[in-house]
Amino acid sequence: MTLTQLQSPGQLYGVDKQCELVFGPGYVLCPHMQTCERLWCTNKTSSGCRTQHMPWADGTECKDISRNKLCRTQGCWCRSGECVLRIPLKARNGGWGKWQVYGPCSRTCGGGIKTSIRQCNNPKPDNGGKYCLGKRIKYRSCNTKICPPSKLDFREEQCSNFSNRYHIDGLPANVKWVPKYAGVQMKDACKLYCQAESTSSFYQLADTVIDGTKCRPDTDDICVNGKCRRAGCDNRLGSHMKRDRCGVCGGDNSSCKSERGRFNNAKYGYNKVITVPSGATNIEILQHGYQNTSNDWNYLSLRNSKGEYILNGDHIVRTQKWSIKVQNGYLEYSGANVPVERINSTRMIGEDITVEVLSVGSLLPPDVRYTYTISAGKDTKFRWDNVGMWKRCSQLCQGLRKRKIVCIRENDFLMVSNKHCVGKVKPPRLRDSCNMDCYLRWKIMRETECSVHCGKGIKIRTVHCVKETDKTSLTVDDRHCRHLGAKPHPSVMCEGKCSTTMWNYAYWSKCTRTCGGGNQTREAQCINEDAHVVDNRHCEDKHKEPLIQSCNEVPCAQWRSGAWTGCSVSCGHGKRHREVWCGRGEDQVEERLCDKKDRPEAKKECNLEACPEWYAGGWGPCSVTCGVGEKMRTVICRTFNGNIVEDAVCDASKRHRDKSQCYIGQCPTLSPPTTPTTPSYLLNSHWRFGIWTECSTTCGPGLQHRYVSCMNHRGHIMDNTMCNPHHRPASKQDCNNKACGIWRQGKWRPCPVTCGTGVQTRYVACIILDNETSNQKHMADYMCDATSKPDAKKKCDMGDCHSIEELDIAVITSNTVEKTSHWRVGPWGPCSTTCNEGHQGRLVVCQDENGPSDGCDERVKPEKRKICNSGPCPSWNQGQWAECSSPCGVEGQQSRAVRCQLPNGQILADSNCDIFIRPTDARLCSGECNSSSNQWRTEPWSSCSATCGSGQRQRVVVCVDQTNTTQPTSTCSKKMPRNTKRCARGHCPHWNKGRWSKCSVSCGVGVKWREVKCMINRDEVVDVDQCQNATKPQTSMKCYRKTCLKFKWKPGPWSECSKTCGFGRKERSVTCTDRLGVAVSSHLCDNNSKPKVRRRCSEYPCPFIWNIGPWSECTSSCSEGKQIRTVVCQSVTREGWILPGEVPNRCPLREKPTRVRYCNYGDCNADYRWRVGPWGQCTVRCGHGKQRRMIKCVDKKGRRKSKRRCIRLYRPESSRACYNGPCYARSCKELKEITTIRVDGGYKLMVDRKLITIYCKDMRKAIPLEYLTLPNDRHQNYAEMFDHRLRNPASCPNNGTRPQVCNRCRRKPYKQAGSTTYSKVRIDLNTLKILPTDGTFSNVHSGKLIPFGTAGDCYSSKACPQGLFSINLTGTGLTVSENTTWTLDGNKASQRIWRLRDGEIIRGVCGGYCGVCSPDPRTGLHLQVLH
């Protein structure tokens, strides 16, 4: 609501109405009481006046002439209990008050949150003013010290607080509540979900957890105000501190050590494997089933620090997945029914745990493998050592290199951060020779023929720096040979042989291919001294140059694409993405070099299987026969094809209830009162089950059985009805013992998200090997062991996603009062790899004060992705196999060295590499027989076959024995080296042909010309003598136009326009004439080429028009009545917009439309007549549209009848025209689309909520151009590059003022100088940026075109600038934005910029030696609307 529409309460409710609102109906103002101060009211029944001691409402009209005499003339109203002059309200925007003192901490330890609040009361918003923008609450971490180990987890405390006091039907009163994590989605992580212990029932007990609660047990992030916010391991909000590999908060892995081991010897019962100490992390314990089976009678077991079994104790084995609670974390258990039993955790545990293996049954040997990481403590020693990577060689050949000194851990030589060695003495740096297998030299690559055939002349030679080895020669950049001395001169003296004949060569033909390598050919002729062609036998063949050469060997650009990302969703419909670029060889090039039609798609849809959903079965019988009882049903999570999966896969917040109250009816009153019966299975009883039998099949699907019985707490077997039937374990299950097929999987695809948690996918298939053909066959999944199927999906964590409020402002791309758009960036996420090269991502969004925006400049958008390197990965490195220990044909043994090494050769302890993939260091072998000792010998490469362009090198390759004697090629076992390769010798001079001019005649035979230049590369013009070997293309040729006709059309002059305004027509006569201009019959001329005889004229609408309003409703609902409408004369702009307000006496009266008309909806006595409804809204937001209304036929009682019964002649109109004000165009293109204007000129356009005059150019083209018209004074908008140059550039004469006559300047002016004035400048209305290089409406007074807003010189190097520029936007409604800055470029450059009249005028003086200033290309010359 605007201020003009804003009304005070007293304006809405009069003083008598205020009395009714306070005291009730009938109350009015008491007479003769003082105005405004108190509201005194009375009614007819009361004898006096009453008041609530409150003033009259603000805005109530008052006339207290005794206090303010002006009330009689100017009017007064009540304000805060006083009668004051009526002054219009002024909006008051709100302002933030001071931040309050932080409140109490939400936790006593472990990282709590305290809050501070500020109010929008300094001042409060009033009279329609704006409310404050920004944060009202801020948060701070507190009590970040670690909680004692014995203390419950904070979320556990909150759940346990509901125990014994929060009753839910169907659950015992003494139920114990524990946190629920599985199945709770990330969006609900800060809601308090609790689960009844030892049951599957869970409920949301609170909308939010207490601030400071961890979002999940496996993260450091905490909940604040119901949202999960980033926090570090130091329990501080917004911290980036992470735990290193061994769980040390803020550590750098320098104290980490990995412990690995194996256990495979056991006796019946429980066998201790190892005790994992408190503080361990990255724990993984694997029990590999015997021969990869899941029923080898060996099961992992765990004890806590108190010696109590927390997994698989008392000979009871869990078969399903399970989360095991330990101090400070959880351990994940895979269940016993898998070939590889697994216990793992990535978080640091807070107590010692003992790993045991339970061996029963057949006592097959177990295979337990364990690994964990733990900190080595503070006693670790470090030192500097020369084991770092070698640095780059100082020269391309014959150079030196240095080795990096790094900090290492002494016990295992692991490289760590340099901070651990600060203060220790560094050893001397190692130096070594490098690149000794080559040498550099200046080499003459080619020479032209002598410029004369007889006598002294000049020949041009090409000299390059080459890198040569014993076998190769490679051209490199000239800078590598600068230490060898000056580069040989490209031209030398020569002397022609004065021979009588010579070979003359034609120009090279066009290359057969534009890229990818083609061929060129040319012809050779033998000529004599007079340049006459003679027989070829008179010239010597040995002097004949090649007639064929390679060309355009640059590879063709082609579209390349990366791998598809994983699907953006884990189930349902999503999208895949991949990177697409244009590449040539190994390089990425501009996309315009590739064919856009062949561009591969960068995204596509992906449809995964439907997401699993909760399925609820039917309700069971009520637990009682009368009164209130309980009924139950089964609730399971299943896929779309009916497979039952774990509950954690489905959304926990959408789970159906599995218990409900039921009421059978009132129990008989005659019987004694009874309580509702409790199901027998709710007594202290439970299901007990035995171990699975062996699989019924040896290959493929089979069945397993086990014993299941109901037992009480004393271990006695009870009837099955005494246990809960819904929790009965299965007594049989499917099994795949020695699956017939084996699983094959591909590589993981990249993570599809840049932040947060995504899902990676890979290819997984079941195959079977054919023993006869050794081929692989794809099989159905049931032919492979489903329990050992590799994961096809896994979660990937790309770091925290941040809300827009948390992001930092990176680039501000506009600076207006409203809609201040800016790029916001989040922090960089973690590296995608733990070693070697990976990438980091971050969130980049565009935002203004109202939220997300699309008004940011894409050209200055910050990067969303960057390369990161986490250091080299250690890996197993194996040496060469030693010779076999036995002679030819006899079986023996050979060995090799296997070490754990970094890429720089540093040897580490074996524990730093994965012991389970260690390559073997010994194998069986058979003695080698008949090994050939022959080898290939190569000769040096020949010189290039071409003197310019592309050619070939050749060399001799032969097979020789140990005595260097040539042998047949079949006796050399290795692959033969190549004997040819391509070579390049720079671009050849060639004739460059320009475009042909137009024909000199319009009919008949004429001439056209073109320019022909001798060029090297694309832009270097050389002397025509260098192109003499090629035939110069012709520079002129005949052109043939259409035959000159005997008769042609002759148009006459256009007539005057048929209208003085609006849209009229012009006409002209067109006659057929002969060559003498005499008129003849029109059938002799070509009718298809006849010029137009009429055209449209007067492009602009009339300046004044009669504007009519809608007809009023008929004065009579039946019989004859009248309708009236408004008819006013109004002004119209050039753009066709009707301006508000009446303009009298400007429209012609003879064209004035009628104001009154008769109407008739039917005879009043008729049985049926028409009835109309109200008019609807106009169909358009602005401009001309339509309104519609309902028309129906009714009888005398107003009942609706068929329209055929009413007289059609009297039927009222159901639609009419409407006008909703002008539609202001926002660009010249939009103006062209909504009007008929096609003439270039200045028009009013809506720019940032203000009408600005913009000059529209090329209005007859598809996309017109916009220009800003500048003040008509050449001295107000100009750009200059000063042309004078001082002889002594280190001086600044005349104290920097520009001399009228420069006696100290050089005669030769500055080549880049120029002076340009501008009358209009090109503007981009979307970004409000000037395009300074557009000189369409500029005037170059001297020298070159200087871009708008640019100046410079080459005058002095002593801060003495002389180049001037001026920008004057006075009267345009625009100013130069404060974000616009000028940058300097050049040597010793300086500038002085003046900003006048709030940016309407900008003046600058710039220069240097040589120096130039121009608007910063990152922001451009940005303008803003002057509101």
Side-chain angles (χ1 to χ4, degrees):
M1 180 181 291
T2 63
L3 286 176
T4 57
Q5 298 173 315
L6 184 66
Q7 289 184 313
S8 298
Q11 294 176 277
L12 298 173
Y13 305 104
V15 66
D16 289 339
K17 183 65 176 178
Q18 294 175 40
C19 284
E20 287 191 350
L21 293 174
V22 175
F23 296 106
Y27 275 86
V28 295
L29 181 70
C30 270
H32 312 299
M33 288 292 181
Q34 195 169 0
T35 58
C36 295
E37 187 174 353
R38 281 188 179 89
L39 181 67
W40 291 91
C41 304
T42 185
N43 64 1
K44 295 179 180 179
T45 60
S46 61
S47 59
C49 297
R50 302 173 61 187
T51 182
Q52 292 282 6
H53 301 284
M54 64 175 63
W56 293 13
D58 284 353
T60 307
E61 185 178 358
C62 60
K63 293 183 179 179
D64 193 349
I65 302 175
S66 62
R67 292 192 180 186
N68 198 329
K69 296 181 180 180
L70 295 176
C71 291
R72 178 177 295 172
T73 58
Q74 298 183 12
C76 292
W77 60 8
C78 295
R79 279 287 161 198
S80 301
E82 292 185 10
C83 188
V84 297
L85 285 176
R86 188 167 186 164
I87 300 173
L89 297 175
K90 290 186 179 180
R92 184 175 68 187
N93 295 333
W96 286 115
K98 293 183 179 180
W99 286 102
Q100 298 177 4
V101 178
Y102 277 96
C105 194
S106 62
R107 296 188 63 176
T108 58
C109 63
I113 296 295
K114 55 184 180 180
T115 60
S116 175
I117 302 175
R118 59 176 177 174
Q119 304 293 341
C120 186
N121 57 6
N122 187 25
K124 286 186 177 180
D126 198 8
N127 301 332
K130 295 181 179 179
Y131 194 79
C132 304
L133 295 177
K135 291 184 178 180
R136 193 176 68 89
I137 304 177
K138 62 181 180 179
Y139 305 93
R140 177 184 291 177
S141 293
C142 54
N143 294 341
T144 57
K145 61 182 181 295
I146 300 174
C147 292
S150 59
K151 191 173 177 64
L152 282 177
D153 176 77
F154 195 44
R155 193 182 288 259
E156 288 180 353
E157 283 186 21
Q158 296 172 59
C159 284
S160 65
N161 289 338
F162 288 92
S163 299
N164 301 324
R165 70 178 183 89
Y166 191 78
H167 179 65
I168 294 178
D169 292 335
L171 295 176
N174 62 345
V175 64
K176 182 180 179 182
W177 294 100
V178 295
K180 165 72 174 176
Y181 292 109
V184 178
Q185 295 189 343
M186 196 62 201
K187 64 184 177 66
D188 299 326
C190 290
K191 297 176 181 177
L192 185 61
Y193 279 98
C194 299
Q195 182 174 353
E197 193 174 41
S198 302
T199 71
S200 61
S201 300
F202 65 91
Y203 298 90
Q204 180 184 330
L205 301 186
D207 291 335
T208 60
V209 294
I210 299 175
D211 288 351
T213 306
K214 301 291 184 186
C215 299
R216 302 190 72 85
D218 56 351
T219 181
D220 292 316
D221 295 341
I222 61 178
C223 293
V224 179
N225 196 23
K227 292 184 179 180
C228 191
R229 296 291 187 90
R230 182 185 71 241
C233 60
D234 54 354
N235 293 328
R236 292 189 178 276
L237 181 65
S239 170
H240 293 275
M241 190 170 290
K242 302 291 184 183
R243 298 184 187 274
D244 65 2
R245 217 161 34 91
C246 49
V248 178
C249 185
D252 58 358
N253 299 321
S254 60
S255 63
C256 300
K257 66 175 182 178
S258 297
E259 299 290 343
R260 302 173 185 269
R262 200 166 183 172
F263 179 86
N264 54 12
N265 186 20
K267 59 184 180 180
Y268 187 86
Y270 287 95
N271 301 268
K272 180 178 177 181
V273 178
I274 190 175
T275 297
V276 180
S278 173
T281 184
N282 294 319
I283 303 168
E284 185 174 50
I285 305 163
L286 304 175
Q287 150 56 22
H288 292 259
Y290 185 73
Q291 294 183 351
N292 201 32
T293 60
S294 58
N295 57 344
D296 66 344
W297 309 96
N298 293 300
Y299 307 98
L300 292 175
S301 177
L302 291 179
R303 290 177 185 263
N304 61 15
S305 57
K306 299 177 182 178
E308 300 169 346
Y309 279 106
I310 55 177
L311 175 66
N312 295 346
D314 299 328
H315 290 79
I316 298 176
V317 178
R318 283 194 176 272
T319 59
Q320 303 300 323
K321 291 184 177 180
W322 187 251
S323 292
I324 308 159
K325 180 71 175 74
V326 295
Q327 283 190 23
N328 296 348
Y330 283 84
L331 297 171
E332 299 297 329
Y333 178 55
S334 64
N337 285 348
V338 289
V340 181
E341 202 176 351
R342 183 177 187 232
I343 299 172
N344 73 294
S345 174
T346 57
R347 301 283 291 179
M348 186 169 64
I349 60 175
E351 61 176 323
D352 294 350
I353 57 170
T354 302
V355 182
E356 297 181 352
V357 60
L358 171 62
S359 295
V360 294
S362 304
L363 286 181
L364 296 171
D367 184 8
V368 181
R369 309 175 189 182
Y370 60 85
T371 176
Y372 61 88
T373 304
I374 194 165
S375 176
K378 298 181 179 179
D379 298 332
T380 309
K381 295 183 178 180
F382 305 94
R383 63 178 171 86
W384 295 107
D385 203 344
N386 263 306
V387 293
M389 300 289 288
W390 284 104
K391 293 191 175 181
R392 183 179 296 178
C393 195
S394 61
Q395 290 186 6
L396 198 60
C397 294
Q398 308 291 318
L400 287 175
R401 63 176 179 173
K402 301 176 183 179
R403 194 159 196 168
K404 186 177 180 181
I405 298 177
V406 295
C407 185
I408 64 169
R409 195 163 63 191
E410 287 190 351
N411 59 343
D412 57 359
F413 303 104
L414 181 71
M415 281 193 294
V416 296
S417 173
N418 288 348
K419 69 180 182 181
H420 297 288
C421 293
V422 173
K424 298 182 183 292
V425 179
K426 288 187 178 182
R429 190 185 296 272
L430 293 180
R431 289 175 171 81
D432 189 21
S433 300
C434 53
N435 296 343
M436 303 302 292
D437 58 339
C438 64
Y439 61 92
L440 300 167
R441 69 182 181 93
W442 294 110
K443 184 176 181 180
I444 300 172
M445 309 302 291
R446 64 177 182 182
E447 287 183 342
T448 62
E449 293 183 355
C450 196
S451 58
V452 296
H453 297 296
C454 186
K456 291 184 178 182
I458 296 176
K459 60 181 178 180
I460 307 299
R461 58 184 182 179
T462 303
V463 182
H464 287 305
C465 177
V466 296
K467 170 188 172 184
E468 294 189 342
T469 64
D470 294 339
K471 298 180 179 179
T472 61
S473 178
L474 180 66
T475 302
V476 295
D477 194 273
D478 286 353
R479 60 187 172 85
H480 295 296
C481 288
R482 287 174 184 166
H483 65 285
L484 301 177
K487 182 178 180 180
H489 202 275
S491 59
V492 293
M493 299 295 294
C494 61
E495 190 168 350
K497 297 181 180 179
C498 300
S499 57
T500 57
T501 59
M502 70 194 76
W503 290 105
N504 184 41
Y505 302 97
Y507 289 112
W508 288 105
S509 66
K510 187 177 181 180
C511 194
T512 56
R513 299 188 64 182
T514 58
C515 60
N519 290 318
Q520 287 178 295
T521 59
R522 63 178 177 179
E523 295 181 354
Q525 293 178 324
C526 185
I527 60 174
N528 58 18
E529 294 176 340
D530 300 326
H532 294 152
V533 178
V534 297
D535 195 275
N536 287 350
R537 57 189 175 84
H538 295 293
C539 293
E540 297 184 24
D541 286 339
K542 65 180 181 179
H543 295 151
K544 191 175 184 179
E545 296 183 10
L547 302 181
I548 185 171
Q549 69 176 10
S550 301
C551 55
N552 292 344
E553 294 186 338
V554 177
C556 296
Q558 295 179 334
W559 290 110
R560 310 281 175 82
S561 59
W564 287 105
T565 63
C567 198
S568 59
V569 295
S570 57
C571 59
H573 301 284
K575 288 187 177 182
R576 299 179 185 272
H577 298 266
R578 65 176 175 180
E579 191 177 0
V580 176
W581 70 93
C582 181
R584 175 186 286 150
E586 299 295 327
D587 301 325
Q588 183 174 346
V589 296
E590 296 179 13
E591 291 193 355
R592 61 180 178 81
L593 300 177
C594 291
D595 190 352
K596 290 185 178 180
K597 297 179 181 178
D598 300 331
R599 195 181 197 276
E601 59 180 1
K603 64 179 179 180
K604 66 178 181 180
E605 292 187 354
C606 51
N607 298 314
L608 303 179
E609 62 183 23
C611 297
E613 296 180 349
W614 292 108
Y615 171 76
W619 289 105
C622 195
S623 60
V624 296
T625 57
C626 66
V628 179
E630 184 185 62
K631 58 181 179 180
M632 303 181 66
R633 64 177 176 180
T634 303
V635 178
I636 58 174
C637 178
R638 72 178 189 181
T639 61
F640 73 101
N641 55 8
N643 294 332
I644 300 175
V645 295
E646 299 175 32
D647 286 359
V649 179
C650 290
D651 185 355
S653 63
K654 298 180 181 179
R655 189 180 190 272
H656 307 292
R657 296 185 62 184
D658 56 0
K659 296 179 182 179
S660 177
Q661 280 190 347
C662 55
Y663 179 72
I664 301 300
Q666 190 172 2
C667 294
T669 56
L670 296 177
S671 6
T674 60
T675 57
T677 59
T678 303
S680 57
Y681 55 76
L682 291 181
L683 300 173
N684 195 3
S685 58
H686 63 276
W687 292 104
R688 185 167 184 142
F689 51 89
I691 298 174
W692 290 107
T693 63
E694 292 187 5
C695 195
S696 60
T697 60
T698 58
C699 174
L703 285 176
Q704 286 179 296
H705 299 270
R706 67 176 174 184
Y707 175 73
V708 178
S709 62
C710 181
M711 302 187 72
N712 62 14
H713 66 286
R714 297 178 179 176
H716 298 158
I717 298 177
M718 305 177 66
D719 189 84
N720 285 350
T721 58
M722 302 301 293
C723 290
N724 190 337
H726 300 287
H727 296 166
R728 189 182 193 275
S731 59
K732 65 178 180 179
Q733 69 174 7
D734 295 333
C735 59
N736 279 318
N737 192 12
K738 293 184 180 178
C740 300
I742 58 176
W743 294 107
R744 286 285 184 268
Q745 66 268 10
K747 294 182 178 180
W748 288 109
R749 294 188 175 94
C751 193
V753 298
T754 58
C755 71
T757 303
V759 177
Q760 287 179 277
T761 59
R762 66 175 175 182
Y763 168 77
V764 176
C766 177
I767 67 166
I768 190 169
L769 296 174
D770 192 327
N771 294 331
E772 296 181 1
T773 62
S774 298
N775 292 332
Q776 298 181 359
K777 296 182 179 178
H778 286 269
M779 308 297 293
D781 284 1
Y782 70 84
M783 296 301 294
C784 287
D785 184 2
T787 58
S788 64
K789 182 178 180 179
D791 291 334
K793 301 175 185 176
K794 72 174 182 179
K795 290 184 178 179
C796 51
D797 189 1
M798 300 304 290
D800 300 320
C801 287
H802 303 275
S803 64
I804 294 178
E805 289 80 4
E806 295 179 87
L807 307 185
D808 299 325
I809 297 178
V811 179
I812 298 178
T813 61
S814 71
N815 189 13
T816 57
V817 176
E818 294 182 4
K819 295 189 178 180
T820 302
S821 301
H822 46 261
W823 288 111
R824 281 182 176 264
V825 296
W828 288 107
C831 198
S832 60
T833 59
T834 56
C835 57
N836 284 343
E837 187 175 279
H839 61 269
Q840 290 174 279
R842 65 176 175 182
L843 186 65
V844 179
V845 296
C846 178
Q847 189 191 22
D848 57 23
E849 70 273 9
N850 296 322
S853 169
D854 55 1
C856 293
D857 190 350
E858 290 289 337
R859 294 176 292 181
V860 295
K861 183 176 182 180
E863 292 183 356
K864 297 175 65 175
R865 202 167 181 158
K866 70 176 181 180
I867 301 298
C868 56
N869 197 314
S870 302
C873 297
S875 60
W876 292 111
N877 184 21
Q878 59 265 22
Q880 297 292 329
W881 289 106
E883 291 186 5
C884 194
S885 60
S886 60
C888 174
V890 179
E891 189 176 86
Q893 189 176 8
Q894 56 185 163
S895 60
R896 63 177 175 182
V898 177
R899 301 183 181 93
C900 180
Q901 279 186 312
L902 288 172
N904 62 0
Q906 178 183 352
I907 300 175
L908 305 178
D910 284 0
S911 61
N912 289 290
C913 294
D914 191 350
I915 195 70
F916 300 120
I917 60 171
R918 185 180 188 274
T920 179
D921 55 2
R923 70 177 180 183
L924 296 177
C925 60
S926 179
E928 188 176 354
C929 304
N930 298 326
S931 60
S932 174
S933 61
N934 293 350
Q935 59 184 359
W936 295 104
R937 187 187 70 193
T938 57
E939 300 292 338
W941 289 103
S942 66
S943 59
C944 192
S945 61
T947 58
C948 65
S950 300
Q952 283 190 337
R953 292 177 180 269
Q954 295 183 343
R955 66 176 176 182
V956 177
V957 179
V958 294
C959 180
V960 298
D961 57 17
Q962 294 179 348
T963 62
N964 211 23
T965 304
T966 303
Q967 301 293 333
T969 56
S970 59
T971 60
C972 282
S973 57
K974 294 184 180 179
K975 184 179 179 180
M976 180 179 178
R978 62 175 181 169
N979 56 5
T980 60
K981 70 175 181 179
R982 292 178 178 176
C983 54
R985 288 295 177 265
H987 295 281
C988 295
H990 63 281
W991 292 110
N992 180 269
K993 297 171 288 187
R995 292 185 177 182
W996 288 107
S997 66
K998 292 184 178 180
C999 196
S1000 58
V1001 296
S1002 58
C1003 65
V1005 181
V1007 179
K1008 57 182 179 180
W1009 296 268
R1010 67 177 174 184
E1011 188 178 13
V1012 178
K1013 304 175 184 177
C1014 182
M1015 299 185 70
I1016 296 179
N1017 300 327
R1018 292 183 178 179
D1019 53 0
E1020 185 179 352
V1021 181
V1022 297
D1023 191 85
V1024 294
D1025 293 338
Q1026 297 190 34
C1027 292
Q1028 289 299 326
N1029 293 334
T1031 303
K1032 184 176 182 179
Q1034 57 185 1
T1035 57
S1036 63
M1037 64 181 298
K1038 290 182 178 180
C1039 53
Y1040 301 90
R1041 305 290 288 174
K1042 60 186 178 182
T1043 305
C1044 295
L1045 302 176
K1046 295 181 180 178
F1047 307 99
K1048 64 178 180 179
W1049 293 106
K1050 182 179 180 181
W1054 287 106
S1055 66
E1056 295 293 329
C1057 192
S1058 61
K1059 291 185 178 181
T1060 57
C1061 64
F1063 303 102
R1065 286 194 174 188
K1066 286 185 176 183
E1067 294 184 350
R1068 66 178 176 181
S1069 62
V1070 178
T1071 56
C1072 181
T1073 62
D1074 58 14
R1075 292 181 179 178
L1076 300 176
V1078 179
V1080 296
S1081 176
S1082 60
H1083 77 277
L1084 297 175
C1085 291
D1086 183 9
N1087 199 46
N1088 294 327
S1089 61
K1090 184 177 181 180
K1092 289 182 178 181
V1093 295
R1094 63 179 60 87
R1095 74 177 185 190
R1096 192 175 66 176
C1097 57
S1098 184
E1099 295 281 346
Y1100 306 109
C1102 294
F1104 304 100
I1105 64 168
W1106 289 108
N1107 192 18
I1108 57 175
W1111 288 107
S1112 66
E1113 295 297 333
C1114 192
T1115 57
S1116 176
S1117 60
C1118 60
S1119 294
E1120 188 176 88
K1122 287 185 178 181
Q1123 287 178 291
I1124 302 174
R1125 66 179 176 183
T1126 58
V1127 178
V1128 294
C1129 181
Q1130 290 181 293
S1131 296
V1132 182
T1133 66
R1134 296 180 67 197
E1135 298 83 4
W1137 301 330
I1138 301 174
L1139 299 179
E1142 183 177 359
V1143 184
N1145 305 323
R1146 300 305 296 268
C1147 298
L1149 291 176
R1150 64 179 180 277
E1151 297 178 4
K1152 183 176 181 180
T1154 179
R1155 294 180 60 253
V1156 182
R1157 72 176 181 182
Y1158 292 98
C1159 53
N1160 195 331
Y1161 292 167
D1163 190 355
C1164 293
N1165 297 321
D1167 293 334
Y1168 305 99
R1169 65 175 183 268
W1170 296 103
R1171 178 178 291 178
V1172 298
W1175 288 104
Q1177 292 185 344
C1178 197
T1179 56
V1180 294
R1181 180 180 57 83
C1182 61
H1184 296 276
K1186 281 197 172 186
Q1187 286 179 289
R1188 300 186 183 277
R1189 65 178 175 181
M1190 181 180 291
I1191 306 294
K1192 57 184 179 180
C1193 180
V1194 299
D1195 60 11
K1196 290 183 177 181
K1197 295 182 178 181
R1199 293 174 297 190
R1200 188 169 185 173
K1201 299 296 180 181
S1202 173
K1203 293 180 180 179
R1204 289 178 294 180
R1205 299 189 180 186
C1206 290
I1207 300 175
R1208 188 174 183 83
L1209 177 65
Y1210 296 146
R1211 189 180 192 274
E1213 59 186 0
S1214 60
S1215 65
R1216 69 181 182 186
C1218 55
Y1219 179 69
N1220 258 357
C1223 291
Y1224 296 114
R1226 288 172 171 78
S1227 67
C1228 293
K1229 182 174 182 289
E1230 189 176 335
L1231 177 68
K1232 178 182 175 182
E1233 291 171 352
I1234 65 177
T1235 68
T1236 57
I1237 295 175
R1238 298 296 183 270
V1239 176
D1240 294 355
Y1243 301 98
K1244 296 281 188 181
L1245 301 182
M1246 182 63 70
V1247 180
D1248 192 14
R1249 300 177 289 108
K1250 183 176 181 180
L1251 289 176
I1252 301 291
T1253 301
I1254 299 295
Y1255 184 87
C1256 296
K1257 185 180 180 295
D1258 298 334
M1259 286 294 284
R1260 294 191 180 275
K1261 293 185 179 179
I1263 302 179
L1265 304 179
E1266 288 104 0
Y1267 288 84
L1268 182 66
T1269 302
L1270 303 173
N1272 190 17
D1273 186 350
R1274 60 171 289 184
H1275 299 293
Q1276 296 298 320
N1277 288 279
Y1278 57 85
E1280 177 194 51
M1281 295 288 284
F1282 191 52
D1283 58 349
H1284 285 33
R1285 305 179 68 186
L1286 289 174
R1287 293 193 187 95
N1288 179 16
S1291 62
C1292 183
N1294 304 318
N1295 292 324
T1297 58
R1298 181 182 293 190
Q1300 295 294 329
V1301 178
C1302 186
N1303 297 322
R1304 302 183 183 184
C1305 295
R1306 302 180 183 179
R1307 291 183 178 178
K1308 192 173 182 181
Y1310 181 35
K1311 289 183 178 180
Q1312 303 299 325
S1315 177
T1316 306
T1317 58
Y1318 290 85
S1319 59
K1320 295 179 180 66
V1321 287
R1322 177 91 176 273
I1323 184 172
D1324 184 345
L1325 294 182
N1326 292 323
T1327 60
L1328 281 183
K1329 290 184 179 179
I1330 297 295
L1331 281 65
T1333 56
D1334 190 311
T1336 306
F1337 294 96
S1338 67
N1339 188 4
V1340 180
H1341 299 280
S1342 64
K1344 297 186 175 182
L1345 171 72
I1346 308 303
F1348 190 66
T1350 301
D1353 63 23
C1354 203
Y1355 183 71
S1356 170
S1357 62
K1358 286 293 183 180
C1360 192
Q1362 300 296 317
L1364 302 174
F1365 78 84
S1366 175
I1367 300 174
N1368 190 335
L1369 304 181
T1370 304
T1372 63
L1374 298 170
T1375 63
V1376 178
S1377 170
E1378 293 180 355
N1379 292 330
T1380 300
T1381 58
W1382 270 257
T1383 59
L1384 284 170
D1385 189 21
N1387 184 38
K1388 304 291 185 181
S1390 62
Q1391 66 179 11
R1392 292 193 290 273
I1393 309 294
W1394 292 273
R1395 180 182 177 89
L1396 308 175
R1397 293 179 60 175
D1398 293 331
E1400 280 191 303
I1401 300 175
I1402 303 291
R1403 297 276 167 79
V1405 55
C1406 312
Y1409 194 74
C1410 301
V1412 62
C1413 69
S1414 59
D1416 191 334
R1418 293 173 296 181
T1419 58
L1421 184 45
H1422 187 255
L1423 307 183
Q1424 63 187 23
V1425 176
L1426 184 62
H1427 288 286

